[in-house]
Amino acid sequence: HKGKNINLNDVKYMQNSCGVSIFEVKRLENGFYELVKDSKYNRRITAQTPIRISGPAKGDEKLKTKADKKGKLVYGTINNCASGKTPWGTYLTCEENFNDFFDASEEFSQDASQKRYGIKKGAGEYGWSLDERFDVSKNPNEPNRFGWVVEIDPYDPNSMPIKRTALGRFKHENAEVVLDKSSHVVVYMGDDEKHEFIYKFVSKNKYDGKARNLLDEGTLYVAKFNGKVGDNKGSGEWIELVHGKNGLDSKNGFNSQADVVINARLAASIVGATPMDRPEWVAAD
């Protein structure tokens, strides 16, 4: 804890202990389950696994690093909280308190985005800054590559996971996926930190029973609630987080939709979203 008395090998060990496990189980005659040890589906997705970046932030300058000059491939998923399941059978894992893994070996000038996401010197919980990739003073863009919803195909062990940036970057708790009456995919999400917000994503295209890349194009919204605190009544509205709308323009530091999704928290504040008391889970009734 706090990276005391550890070395780079210890960090690598921890990095390979984080992430997602996929494994097959079978039900026995007595009703209990057991692991299928030699299943072709069994695999680990760790903080070192190559993951593709898709959606509005793909290739953006803020996602480019020394190791990834194109901003299209990131190694790893970390601090995975809860999940979601898509209609086409893939798994959505949600990156939550990713800032705990970043620190700085030197002082650096903290910008508004880093402040809002808790990226600062001394914040690292695990000593991962021994790996330069997680040293913000040396790789300031690396934190921008975490805090996303990651789609994994558990039935294709050769498939590469994908960070779906259209769903916004924050401390994701879970992803509740539903199909609306018109067959558009809707994903409800909560940002698990005090005074943060509830979001939803609506796909541009409809699910036809086959389409699998519906989470790259669509509209991200944030919730604004009306009513008095404590009365548990009232109404609400969904506000678009779209570049060029609702003040999300260059005057406020947003030059593209990539800027909006990378800094979803800052964008949501500008449009007047309602701060919540740690929305740790969203379910559809």
Side-chain angles (χ1 to χ4, degrees), residues 97-245:
N97 301 310
F98 61 92
N99 58 306
D100 290 344
F101 296 84
F102 289 90
D103 211 322
S105 60
E106 304 169 14
E107 293 296 335
F108 69 99
S109 181
Q110 186 191 44
D111 62 25
S113 173
Q114 290 164 334
K115 184 176 182 181
R116 185 64 178 269
Y117 286 91
I119 305 297
K120 60 183 179 181
K121 184 174 171 59
E125 292 284 337
Y126 309 109
W128 281 25
S129 58
L130 289 171
D131 176 354
E132 282 196 5
R133 188 157 69 96
F134 293 89
D135 185 340
V136 185
S137 60
K138 295 179 180 177
N139 279 295
N141 281 352
E142 191 70 26
N144 297 335
R145 294 149 65 83
F146 295 90
W148 304 103
V149 171
V150 185
E151 185 172 7
I152 299 169
D153 187 345
Y155 300 106
D156 182 358
N158 296 315
S159 63
M160 185 181 293
I162 305 170
K163 298 205 177 190
R164 299 290 189 183
T165 65
L167 277 62
R169 174 175 166 261
F170 43 90
K171 296 181 180 180
H172 288 272
E173 176 70 22
N174 76 311
E176 178 75 353
V177 184
V178 299
L179 281 177
D180 68 12
K181 293 178 181 178
S182 62
S183 294
H184 288 91
V185 178
V186 185
V187 186
Y188 296 94
M189 301 166 285
D191 186 350
D192 184 11
E193 191 165 26
K194 238 183 226 184
H195 310 309
E196 292 300 338
F197 310 116
I198 291 175
Y199 300 80
K200 79 169 178 179
F201 170 84
V202 181
S203 67
K204 176 183 176 181
N205 298 311
K206 297 180 180 181
Y207 177 56
D208 60 3
K210 298 178 182 178
R212 296 172 67 89
N213 287 310
L214 297 179
L215 301 182
D216 278 343
E217 291 185 273
T219 305
L220 184 64
Y221 298 83
V222 68
K224 180 179 181 180
F225 296 102
N226 306 307
K228 297 178 182 178
V229 174
D231 66 4
N232 297 319
K233 292 185 290 185
S235 59
E237 61 180 305
W238 291 104
I239 305 174
E240 286 182 280
L241 294 178
V242 175
H243 178 247
K245 295 184 178 182

Side-chain angles (χ1 to χ4, degrees), residues 8-21 43-50 75-78 80 101 128 131 133-134:
L8 185 57
N9 284 335
D10 296 323
V11 171
K12 297 293 184 184
Y13 183 91
M14 283 189 276
Q15 289 174 349
N16 283 294
S17 299
C18 290
V20 176
S21 296
R43 62 171 168 151
R44 288 276 300 137
I45 295 164
T46 74
Q48 296 287 351
T49 301
Y75 285 96
T77 181
I78 53 176
N80 306 83
F101 296 84
W128 281 25
D131 176 354
R133 188 157 69 96
F134 293 89

Side-chain angles (χ1 to χ4, degrees), residues 78-98:
I78 53 176
N79 221 82
N80 306 83
C81 191
S83 60
K85 185 182 178 183
T86 68
W88 46 92
T90 58
Y91 176 99
L92 302 179
T93 181
C94 298
E95 296 179 332
E96 195 185 23
N97 301 310
F98 61 92

